[in-house]
Structure formats: structure tokens, C-alpha cells
Amino acid sequence: MGQAASSLRKPVVRATSAASNTAATAATTLAASQAPRTTQPQHQQAAPAVEDGSANQQLLQNLTKLGQVTVDSPAVLQRTHEKMTHLVRMQELSESASTTSGKSTDAYSLSQLLEERKYARTVEDANQLAKKYNLDPELVQRLSKIVNTPTLGRETTLNMKDGERRTYKEALWVDSNL
């Protein structure tokens, strides 16, 4: 055992940074993995995947390039988690309040409602449309008198000097039929 034990001992390089220390540990592991397997007891032998990974020089180089990694303290992570949880709760409250009140909606839905309302044939159709968007029909009626959305008209395509084609769409102001 004296000869086998001496073949396992390799000089260990002391490192000053964490990355160098990791590389030195990996190099020591590499040297140990190249020793004969019969010198180690069965329970101390590393798994083949670990031994194969320790022989990977590219991994060692990448670890050296990576350098020391900074990890935020648990207090910073906890504050960040609390802020995000608070934001999610506020968003949920805002969304639930807007869907239950019947008097608020997002801008896209409002634009869609006003566009569809332009083509309603009767007041009853307009009221049904307002209910579809969970809004008060009377409120939508008052709003549609002062707010409108542009309607897309004809399309024009121009060929530019540099060969580029640009397409323009005409915006029309269409009043409601009601």
C-alpha cells in the first residue's frame, strides 16, 4: 500500500480566488481519477459519470473563465420576492375590480367596442354590444357621443426609388348609425 498511496498523492496548488480553487480541486480530482482503481476501497470509488466529468478539460477552462460568482444574500432575495408578490396581488385586485364594477375596461376592449358600435343597426344591438363588454349601455351611449375611433379605409401601396414597397392605410372618421 505504500507505493499505491504515494501514487495518489499529488501536489495541491493553493489558489486565492474561488474559481482557481475550483480548478485546483478539479485538477486534484483528475489526478486521483487517473490512479489505479484497485487502490481505493469499493465504497470510496466515484461514479463513472463524475470521473468522466473530471477529465473534461473544457469544463475546467470554462470554470476558470467564469471566475468567482456573487450570490445575493437571502435578505435581498426575500425583499425582491415580497415586492413581486405585492405587485401580483395588486394586479389581481385591479383586474377583479375592473371586471366586477361594470364601469371600467381596458383601452383595447373599449376601442373594439366603439368600432363595433358604429355598425350597430338598432339601439338594442348597441345595448347588447355594451353588455357583451360588461359595460353599462347608458355609459357607452354617452361616451360614444364624445369619443370615436378611426376606421381603416382604402390601402395604397407605393414603390420607392430604392425598390422598397410601402403600404399606407387611410384612416376614416365614421360616425355611428345611431
Side-chain angles (χ1 to χ4, degrees):
M1 179 165 156
Q3 233 180 13
S6 65
S7 68
L8 286 176
R9 291 184 189 152
K10 300 286 181 183
V12 177
V13 177
R14 299 284 179 209
T16 57
S17 72
S20 301
N21 195 12
T22 304
T25 304
T28 303
T29 305
L30 176 63
S33 69
Q34 293 173 350
R37 291 178 187 233
T38 57
T39 60
Q40 295 179 348
Q42 183 66 25
H43 67 278
Q44 289 183 353
Q45 286 185 347
V50 173
E51 289 180 5
D52 291 343
S54 67
N56 188 346
Q57 291 298 318
Q58 185 179 5
L59 174 65
L60 294 176
Q61 290 171 353
N62 288 341
L63 286 173
T64 304
K65 286 180 188 176
L66 181 63
Q68 189 172 5
V69 178
T70 59
V71 177
D72 289 333
S73 70
V76 171
L77 295 175
Q78 180 65 29
R79 283 194 304 265
T80 304
H81 175 71
E82 288 172 357
K83 286 179 186 176
M84 292 307 295
T85 303
H86 177 71
L87 289 174
V88 168
R89 284 188 188 140
M90 294 305 292
Q91 181 69 27
E92 288 173 351
L93 285 174
S94 172
E95 288 174 357
S96 67
S98 69
T99 57
T100 59
S101 70
K103 293 192 177 187
S104 63
T105 187
D106 61 281
Y108 179 76
S109 296
L110 181 61
S111 174
Q112 288 295 108
L113 167 65
L114 292 173
E115 182 64 29
E116 290 178 34
R117 191 177 187 287
K118 291 177 194 176
Y119 303 104
R121 294 177 189 236
T122 64
V123 174
E124 185 59 35
D125 289 344
N127 291 344
Q128 291 288 336
L129 194 57
K131 288 178 183 176
K132 174 184 165 187
Y133 283 90
N134 295 324
L135 292 173
D136 181 32
E138 209 173 287
L139 175 69
V140 174
Q141 172 65 27
R142 287 190 319 231
L143 184 64
S144 67
K145 290 181 180 179
I146 55 174
V147 177
N148 200 350
T149 57
T151 302
L152 294 178
R154 66 180 181 175
E155 188 176 289
T156 306
T157 303
L158 299 175
N159 294 321
M160 306 307 285
K161 290 181 181 179
D162 59 358
E164 182 182 349
R165 293 179 60 154
R166 291 190 184 174
T167 302
Y168 295 94
K169 293 183 180 181
E170 185 178 39
L172 302 174
W173 202 258
V174 177
D175 289 323
S176 176
N177 293 332
L178 303 175

